[in-house]
């Protein structure tokens, strides 16, 4: 692959910004003014020295194969404004002749490689298998006790009737969630918390509560009968309960991965930022969801520009309908995609979701490229309608979508057909990225 | 759940071994509780789980609602890619954290660049990139100063969106976008909107009709004039100020007899801006009776004729009534009447004449001439009343007030205006120049720009702090020609401050100049990006 000549567009660079302030600050550094000793290498390393307000200029280096960033500035954001500015400068003007990297940049790259090698060998290293097995059994027993308790609670609620739930309030569910945390089943705890919020969320709540309660019950039963389940379903149950599947046992797919969308969500207690990155294998057609996490006040490290293609190995975790993946080694710097992805009809999108439910009945949505479709704004709700025909999906706003994103989608469409990537599920379709006809450049709806 | 479920085809294959029927029955049982019916809660949950997964797996698309009509095609070209990116950045920076309070540092100010981007894009005839139209509409909503240009750029796509989103309804009103105003030729449409429209829509309609055919506007206005409320009559009349012509005179003359005093006064004011009008002639006659080479004799009384022509009888507190009447007569009299009265002298000579009867008469007379020059947009009189820019403001022939002078300046042709202000700055420095700079054409002409930069440099040499000039600095960022950036470069160095200046001030000046240079460079880059690629 020779992709060295391909520069990222400014949109792709700015999409990496962890927040609005960095975006603005980075944009201001995207001119030649403060920069010196800039350059890039065929191996995807980009470097430069940026004069700030202090006496010592900052040294900024980016490894495009990651992408990974390093800067001598004190910012705790990744990428920092200098890294953004450097990439913007490169996207606007390029650096001319390629040259050798300065020592400080080369050292950082070498350090990264060494660390990756160490991590790889550590993963393969011998572990105390006996001790690990005992720990796993002990945890499974605690989860089973928690599951049994939760089943009891669900049955009690149904025996007494959901009607009483509005008076009972949230506190008992919060307490149950805490018990699930104690039982080391974070997946169950999250579902219980969600369940507790339903009685206060408006008309139709009893049906929703019954749905979610029943799915939780299904998960409990799955856990208690784990031994009798087929392997992939058992893995799904384990991961839904909150036992992280081991990536080591996952299936490895090497492909050219198109980045379809990326968005962050913050946990209800504000302590953890989860970054979701949706990919699609251009060869295999396979969707992949890469999760990355960041502690409070610090965005997750993984930043992949929407619309780029990276050639890499993805290791799929067992279960959860084969969506969760970890990206392995990347072969070449990411390059821009040259055409919008092919879309499917609204009916096919729901079928895809339905099919995925066979493998993971707890799945809320499935990643789908829809198109050509026409957005229909409506006061009671938006729809995405097949350009040919009369079928439509209702639009649901959740996760990474916002009202202003919807208007952006309408503006792009102007009443005509567009291609839209998003999450298609039982609540509706959540649009995340859009393409105008014939234009390969994606617009992240934000 | 809004998607339609598979009610039609599940009837044939619905699994009945759950022991429960429809989903609704399950919900009813769950609401009531299994305890009352001796049911098994676990079996109910089993059944509900099966139903839930089945319902989700069997979802079908809903029927599509009515589609919006497609947006009309915008034939204008999209801006080049770097310009598009810049606009996205400027729109994002509009509310960005970077523009918040605190010391501004050396980084350029992006907010001020947005109006300039929009203006330049308008000159190139671009359309807005579709994805940015919502942000553009939001910007237009928040900043009325951007509105006309932002809406022009958003064009047909913007209006199409505005019809769908109540937040952007403003875009459909007002003249700029054209909105939903009927074609001026469409008599029935005009009539309907005039009868039923909101006030703002009616004002916009009046403006559109007037541009199309001046006389049609006053005809339209006459149809409902008697029934309009006094406030509305005043506003309608005021809207005639733009593009006032002789053709409006009959209507205005009739309005001199209006029930409302404010309407009468406004009609008189508009008529006096028409030097050929009957009112202007009457005023000229009265004014000439009071003022001449022999001196000033203010009117002895305010008679009924004067009252009808809009002269306000009662002076504000602290002013003599005869001086008050004199001022109004001179202000409303056409300036062209003075040459003959003063034996063929030109404005500058007339202004320079000593005024018999004392200093206070001179002041009254000159102030009234200033108001007349502005109202009648007379550059020769304006120039005469401004006098020489380098003489001390207190000795100015017309007025020492900076606000009045700014008004007079705005009547001068662009080049003369810049020249005059440049001269003023060279003579008096920057401290009083702010208002005057505000009426100069952007980008500043070379002489004016250099005068400002020289004055800033002189202020630095004199050891003052840059924030004393933050107003002018801000103006300079917006108005200096980007070509001046290179000249300014030498001022950005920190080290070469004179020894008697404190190091702190020198550093602040260096920073302020750096920001100025950075902003100018960015503006030059920005304007370059908007230039269409060559053939």
């Amino acid at each position: 692959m020779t992709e060295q000549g391909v520069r990222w567009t400014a949109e792709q660079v700015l999409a990496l910004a962890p927040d609005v302030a960095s975006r603005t600050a980075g944009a201001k550094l995207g001119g030649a003014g403060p920069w010196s000793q800039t350059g890039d290498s065929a191996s995807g390393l980009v470097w430069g020295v940026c004069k700030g307000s202090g006496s010592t200029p900052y040294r900024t280096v980016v490894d495009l194969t990651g992408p990974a960033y390093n800067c001598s500035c004190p910012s705790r954001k990744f990428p920092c404004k200098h890294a953004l500015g450097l990439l913007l400068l490169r996207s606007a003007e390029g650096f001319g002749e390629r040259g050798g990297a300065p020592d400080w940049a080369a050292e950082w790259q070498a350090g990264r490689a060494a660390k990756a090698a160490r991590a790889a060998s550590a993963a393969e290293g011998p572990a105390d298998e006996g001790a690990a097995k005992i720990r796993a059994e002990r945890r499974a027993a605690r989860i089973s006790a928690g599951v049994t308790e939760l089943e009891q609670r669900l049955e009690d609620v149904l025996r007494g009737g959901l009607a009483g739930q509005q008076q009972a309030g949230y506190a008992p569910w919060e307490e149950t969630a805490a018990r699930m945390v104690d039982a080391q089943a974070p997946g169950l705890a999250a579902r219980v918390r969600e369940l507790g919020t339903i009685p206060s969320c408006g008309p139709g709540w009893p049906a929703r509560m019954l749905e979610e309660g029943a799915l939780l019950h299904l998960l409990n039963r799955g856990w208690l009968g784990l031994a009798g389940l087929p392997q992939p379903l058992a893995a799904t149950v384990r991961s839904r309960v909150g036992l992280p599947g081991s990536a080591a046992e996952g299936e490895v797919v090497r492909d050219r991965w198109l980045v379809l969308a990326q968005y962050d969500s913050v946990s209800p207690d504000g302590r953890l930022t989860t970054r979701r990155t949706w990919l699609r294998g251009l060869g295999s057609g396979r969707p992949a969801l890469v999760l990355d996490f960041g502690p409070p006040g610090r965005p997750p490290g993984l930043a992949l520009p929407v619309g780029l293609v990276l050639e890499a190995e993805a290791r799929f975790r067992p279960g959860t309908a084969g969506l969760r993946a970890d990206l392995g080694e990347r072969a070449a710097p990411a390059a821009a995609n040259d055409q919008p992805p092919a879309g499917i009809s609204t009916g096919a999108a729901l079928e895809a979701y339905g099919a995925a439910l066979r493998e993971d009945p707890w799945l809320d949505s499935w990643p789908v490229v829809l198109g050509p479709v026409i957005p229909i704004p409506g006061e009671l709700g938006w729809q995405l309608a097949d350009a040919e025909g009369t079928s439509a999906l209702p639009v649901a706003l959740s996760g990474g979508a916002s009202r202003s994103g919807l208007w952006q989608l309408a503006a792009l469409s102007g009443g005509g057909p567009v291609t839209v990537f998003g999450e298609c599920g039982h609540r509706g379709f959540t649009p995340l990225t859009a393409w105008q006809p014939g234009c390969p450049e994606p617009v992240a709806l934000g | 759940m809004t998607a339609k479920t598979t009610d039609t085809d599940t009837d044939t294959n619905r699994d009945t071994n759950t022991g429960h029927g429809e989903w609704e029955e399950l919900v009813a049982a769950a609401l009531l509780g299994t305890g009352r019916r001796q049911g098994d809660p676990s079996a109910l949950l089993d059944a509900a789980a099966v139903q839930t997964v089945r319902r989700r797996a069997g979802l079908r698309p809903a029927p599509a609602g009515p589609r919006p009509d497609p947006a009309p095609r915008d034939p204008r070209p999209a801006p080049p890619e770097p310009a598009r990116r810049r606009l996205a950045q400027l729109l994002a920076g509009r509310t960005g954290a970077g523009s918040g309070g605190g010391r501004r540092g050396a980084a350029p100010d992006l907010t001020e660049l947005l109006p300039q981007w929009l203006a330049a894009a308008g000159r190139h005839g671009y359309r807005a990139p579709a994805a940015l139209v919502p942000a553009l509409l939001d910007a237009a909503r928040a900043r009325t100063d951007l509105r006309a240009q932002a809406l022009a750029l958003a064009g047909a796509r913007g209006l199409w969106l505005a019809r769908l989103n109540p937040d952007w309804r403003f875009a459909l009103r007002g003249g700029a976008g054209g909105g939903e105003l009927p074609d001026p030729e469409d008599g029935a449409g005009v009539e309907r909107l005039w009868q039923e429209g909101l006030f703002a829509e009616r004002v916009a309609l009046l403006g559109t009709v007037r541009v199309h055919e001046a006389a049609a506007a006053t005809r339209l206005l006459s149809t409902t004039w008697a029934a309009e409320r006094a406030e509305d009559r005043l506003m309608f009349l005021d809207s005639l100020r733009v593009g006032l012509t002789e053709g409006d005179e009959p209507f205005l003359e009739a309005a001199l007899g209006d029930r409302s005093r404010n309407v009468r006064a406004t009609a008189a004011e508009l008529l006096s801006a028409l030097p050929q009008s009957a009112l202007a002639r009457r005023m000229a006659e009265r004014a000439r009776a009071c003022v001449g080479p022999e001196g000033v004799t203010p009117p002895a009384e305010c008679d009924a004729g004067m009252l009808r022509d809009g002269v306000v009888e009662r002076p504000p507190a602290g002013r003599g009534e005869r001086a008050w009447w004199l001022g109004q007569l001179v202000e409303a009299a056409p300036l062209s009447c003075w040459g003959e009265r003063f034996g063929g002298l030109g404005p500058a000579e007339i202004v320079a004449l000593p005024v018999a009867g004392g200093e206070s008469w001179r002041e009254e007379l000159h102030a009234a001439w200033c108001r007349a020059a502005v109202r009648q947009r007379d550059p020769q009189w304006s120039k005469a009343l401004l006098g020489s820019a380098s003489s001390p403001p207190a000795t100015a022939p017309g007025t020492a007030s900076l606000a009045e002078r700014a008004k007079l300046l705005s009547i001068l042709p662009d080049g003369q205006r810049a020249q005059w202000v440049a001269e003023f700055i060279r003579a008096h420095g920057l401290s009083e120049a702010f208002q005057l700079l505000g009426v100069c054409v952007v980008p500043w002409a070379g002489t004016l720009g250099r005068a400002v930069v020289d004055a800033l440099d002189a202020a630095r040499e004199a050891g003052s702090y840059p924030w004393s000039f933050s107003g002018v600095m801000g103006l300079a960022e917006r108005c200096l020609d980007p070509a001046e950036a290179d000249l300014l470069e030498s001022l950005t160095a920190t080290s070469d401050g004179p020894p008697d200046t404190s190091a702190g001030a020198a550093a602040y000046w260096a920073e302020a100049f750096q920001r100025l240079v950075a902003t100018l460079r960015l503006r030059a880059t920005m304007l370059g990006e908007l230039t269409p690629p060559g053939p």
Side-chain angles (χ1 to χ4, degrees):
Chain A
M1 294 294 315
T2 56
E3 289 163 322
Q4 298 119 12
V6 180
R7 284 188 229 138
W8 297 1
T9 69
E11 270 85 5
Q12 286 161 343
V13 173
L14 288 171
L16 298 173
D19 52 33
V20 176
S22 304
R23 201 182 153 96
T24 311
K28 287 181 184 177
L29 289 173
W35 291 98
S36 58
Q37 301 170 44
T38 54
D40 55 2
S41 75
S43 64
L45 205 62
V46 183
W47 59 87
V49 173
C50 182
K51 194 181 161 349
S53 49
S55 55
T56 320
Y58 299 124
R59 290 166 163 183
T60 312
V61 51
V62 179
D63 184 347
L64 295 178
T65 59
Y69 316 91
N70 185 261
C71 183
S72 60
C73 78
S75 168
R76 293 175 66 236
K77 291 175 179 170
F78 280 95
C80 69
K81 62 180 179 180
H82 303 102
L84 291 171
L86 180 65
L87 290 176
L88 279 178
L89 182 67
R90 181 168 171 272
S91 82
E93 303 175 7
F95 292 154
E97 290 290 302
R98 287 182 191 285
D103 292 347
W104 49 270
E107 273 164 27
W108 173 72
Q109 193 182 32
R112 253 173 63 74
K115 208 165 135 191
R118 270 202 309 280
S121 64
E124 288 160 13
D128 187 343
E129 281 180 19
K133 199 169 171 224
I134 291 171
R135 271 200 307 278
E137 278 169 5
R138 208 174 282 157
R139 182 167 180 189
R142 292 182 73 163
I143 293 177
S144 293
V147 162
T148 310
E149 188 183 336
L150 179 56
E151 264 304 281
Q152 199 57 50
R153 171 99 170 89
L154 283 174
E155 289 182 14
D156 286 349
V157 167
L158 280 173
R159 203 170 285 121
L162 293 180
Q165 282 299 306
Q166 271 186 313
Q167 283 75 47
Y170 183 66
W173 290 110
E174 183 53 46
E175 198 185 312
T176 308
R179 303 278 300 149
M180 293 307 111
V181 171
D182 290 345
Q184 293 186 309
L188 293 179
R191 282 185 172 267
V192 168
R193 259 186 224 111
E194 198 62 40
L195 195 62
T197 63
I198 295 180
S200 60
C201 69
W205 71 266
R208 257 191 309 243
M209 183 127 193
L210 181 58
E211 279 187 341
E212 292 308 320
L215 287 176
L216 187 51
H217 165 75
L218 187 65
L219 187 53
N220 290 337
R221 297 291 296 263
W223 173 266
L224 295 175
L226 203 58
L229 294 180
Q231 203 33 249
L233 191 56
T236 298
V237 168
R238 289 170 59 85
S239 93
R240 288 287 178 191
V241 164
L243 278 178
S246 163
E249 30 183 293
E251 177 195 358
V252 175
V253 179
R254 193 186 174 89
D255 205 337
R256 299 177 60 234
W257 298 96
L258 170 63
V259 183
L260 287 169
Q262 173 174 291
Y263 65 92
D264 292 352
S265 52
V266 179
S267 63
D269 59 5
R271 289 173 61 182
L272 188 71
T273 302
T274 304
R275 175 165 291 171
R276 285 179 171 73
T277 306
W278 284 112
L279 306 171
R280 174 198 258 192
L282 289 180
S284 61
R286 183 160 182 173
L289 173 62
V290 179
L291 295 188
D292 195 25
F293 304 94
R298 182 160 171 178
L302 183 73
L304 296 173
V306 172
L308 282 197
V309 178
L310 21 118
E311 181 156 8
E313 278 183 353
R315 195 176 282 273
F316 284 86
R317 300 192 179 194
T320 58
L323 275 183
R324 274 291 301 281
D326 296 296
L327 279 182
E329 202 180 305
R330 263 150 271 181
N337 195 28
D338 54 2
Q339 55 182 1
I344 58 175
S345 72
T346 55
L350 285 175
E351 273 166 36
Y353 169 61
L357 284 177
R358 275 198 305 238
E359 291 179 57
D360 180 359
W362 298 278
L363 202 61
D364 274 328
S365 61
W366 184 253
V368 163
V369 177
L370 211 56
V373 282
I374 296 174
I376 305 179
E379 274 171 38
L380 298 174
W382 288 49
Q383 285 185 327
L384 289 172
D386 287 331
E388 312 286 334
T390 55
S391 297
L393 293 182
V395 168
L397 284 183
S398 60
S402 70
R403 207 133 266 284
S404 66
L406 285 187
W407 285 109
Q408 231 179 332
L409 180 60
L412 277 178
S413 129
V418 284
T419 301
V420 187
F421 169 75
E423 297 164 4
C424 178
H426 59 94
R427 293 191 188 92
F429 185 91
T430 303
L432 296 171
T433 308
W435 292 261
Q436 283 172 289
C439 178
E441 237 176 87
V443 176
L445 306 170
Chain B
M1 271 290 274
T2 26
K4 203 174 174 182
T5 54
T6 55
D7 286 341
T8 45
D9 57 352
T10 47
D11 281 330
T12 51
N13 61 358
R14 176 168 290 127
D15 193 344
T16 47
N17 64 15
T18 58
H20 295 271
E22 298 279 339
W23 171 248
E24 284 70 24
E25 281 176 36
L26 290 179
V27 176
L31 261 176
L32 203 61
T34 55
R36 308 219 183 157
R37 294 180 176 176
Q38 278 83 45
D40 175 9
S42 181
L44 175 58
L45 283 168
D46 280 343
V50 170
Q51 284 280 354
T52 299
V53 177
R54 176 181 293 158
R55 279 154 44 88
R56 290 183 179 182
L59 284 170
R60 285 273 192 279
R67 293 177 185 183
D69 292 330
R73 216 181 70 80
D74 194 333
R76 298 175 295 172
E81 132 84 27
R84 192 165 54 80
R85 193 197 321 147
R86 180 77 59 190
L87 176 62
Q89 220 179 81
L90 294 176
L91 287 170
R94 199 169 60 81
T95 50
S99 56
R103 200 160 62 84
R104 297 179 55 208
D109 186 349
L110 294 182
T111 342
E112 282 308 330
L113 293 175
L114 184 55
Q116 298 187 354
W117 194 100
L118 295 175
R123 284 196 297 277
H124 287 297
Y126 293 125
R127 69 178 146 89
L132 295 177
V133 171
L136 211 49
L137 288 172
D138 282 341
R141 187 161 79 128
R143 281 179 66 174
T144 42
D145 62 318
L146 295 179
R147 194 163 287 180
Q149 289 172 335
L151 290 182
L153 194 71
R157 186 66 56 106
L159 291 176
W160 180 85
L161 271 181
R163 273 187 209 103
L164 297 171
N165 186 343
D167 286 352
W168 296 326
R169 278 290 148 76
F170 72 90
L172 303 176
R173 306 214 175 92
E180 288 170 333
L181 290 179
D183 187 281
E185 292 279 358
D186 170 15
V190 167
E191 176 67 17
R192 188 168 52 249
L193 188 63
W194 184 251
Q195 295 291 345
E196 299 166 7
L198 299 170
F199 181 74
E201 287 167 336
R202 302 179 68 204
V203 169
L205 178 69
L206 196 63
T208 312
V209 169
R210 194 170 158 76
V211 168
H212 183 70
E213 186 201 341
T218 44
R219 274 205 305 277
L220 188 63
L221 204 45
S222 309
T223 58
T224 55
W225 185 252
E228 305 285 354
R229 300 181 316 145
E231 301 93 305
D232 292 355
R233 291 204 302 279
L234 187 62
M235 297 287 281
F236 282 132
L237 213 50
D238 207 56
S239 74
L240 297 181
R241 196 178 295 271
V242 179
L244 190 69
T245 63
E246 310 289 336
D248 298 318
E249 190 188 346
F251 185 85
L252 293 171
E253 187 72 32
L256 285 175
D258 198 85
R259 298 188 294 280
S260 152
R261 192 167 65 97
N262 285 334
V263 171
R264 291 199 300 272
T266 303
E269 189 197 330
L270 291 177
L271 282 169
S272 69
L274 292 170
Q276 306 299 319
S277 69
L279 178 130
R281 276 202 305 279
R282 294 195 292 272
M283 284 302 196
E285 213 166 294
R286 292 181 186 118
R288 277 192 300 216
C290 301
V291 179
E294 64 281 356
V296 173
T297 321
E301 57 160 351
C302 183
D303 59 33
M306 282 163 70
L307 280 175
R308 184 172 188 279
D309 284 345
V311 175
V312 179
E313 187 177 11
R314 300 285 304 277
R319 296 200 55 185
E321 50 183 17
R322 295 185 67 198
W324 172 243
W325 298 331
L326 172 74
Q328 293 180 76
L329 295 182
V330 173
E331 178 183 351
L335 287 160
S336 54
C337 76
W338 298 115
E340 190 197 330
R341 183 78 177 84
F342 282 91
L345 296 181
E349 293 154 308
I350 297 175
V351 168
L353 286 177
V355 176
E359 186 59 19
S360 63
W361 290 128
R362 195 188 76 92
E363 269 178 35
E364 285 292 348
L365 184 59
H366 283 183
W369 274 335
C370 285
R371 295 196 297 275
V374 172
R375 191 187 283 189
Q376 295 167 34
R377 308 196 61 77
D378 187 318
Q380 277 177 321
W381 274 87
S382 295
K383 195 155 187 281
L385 289 161
L386 277 166
S388 157
S390 51
S391 55
T395 68
T399 170
S401 145
L402 286 168
E404 302 271 331
R405 290 174 144 213
K407 281 190 205 157
L408 288 174
L409 268 174
S410 68
I411 307 299
L412 294 190
D414 301 348
Q416 287 186 29
R417 212 183 303 174
Q419 195 67 45
W420 198 92
V421 178
E423 212 174 302
F424 181 91
I425 290 171
R426 289 225 172 76
H428 311 299
L430 285 171
S431 44
E432 291 189 308
F434 184 76
Q435 259 178 320
L436 305 179
L437 283 168
V439 297
C440 291
V441 177
V442 177
W444 286 340
T447 46
L448 177 57
R450 271 186 292 285
V452 171
V453 172
D454 289 348
L456 285 172
D457 196 28
R460 173 177 73 156
E461 301 257 322
S464 35
Y465 281 91
W467 43 84
S468 321
F469 300 91
S470 56
V472 173
M473 271 292 188
L475 269 183
E477 282 171 27
R478 225 173 319 152
C479 308
L480 264 182
D481 194 310
E484 306 286 332
D486 291 333
L487 290 171
L488 278 163
E489 187 75 69
S490 62
L491 301 177
T492 59
T494 16
S495 51
D496 61 352
D500 57 336
T501 323
S502 74
Y508 289 132
W509 273 109
E511 194 176 86
F513 279 121
Q514 273 166 24
R515 187 176 62 239
L516 184 54
V517 171
T519 306
L520 293 181
R521 290 252 157 83
L522 188 59
R523 183 140 53 91
T525 312
M526 178 183 100
L527 296 175
E529 287 164 351
L530 278 160
T531 310

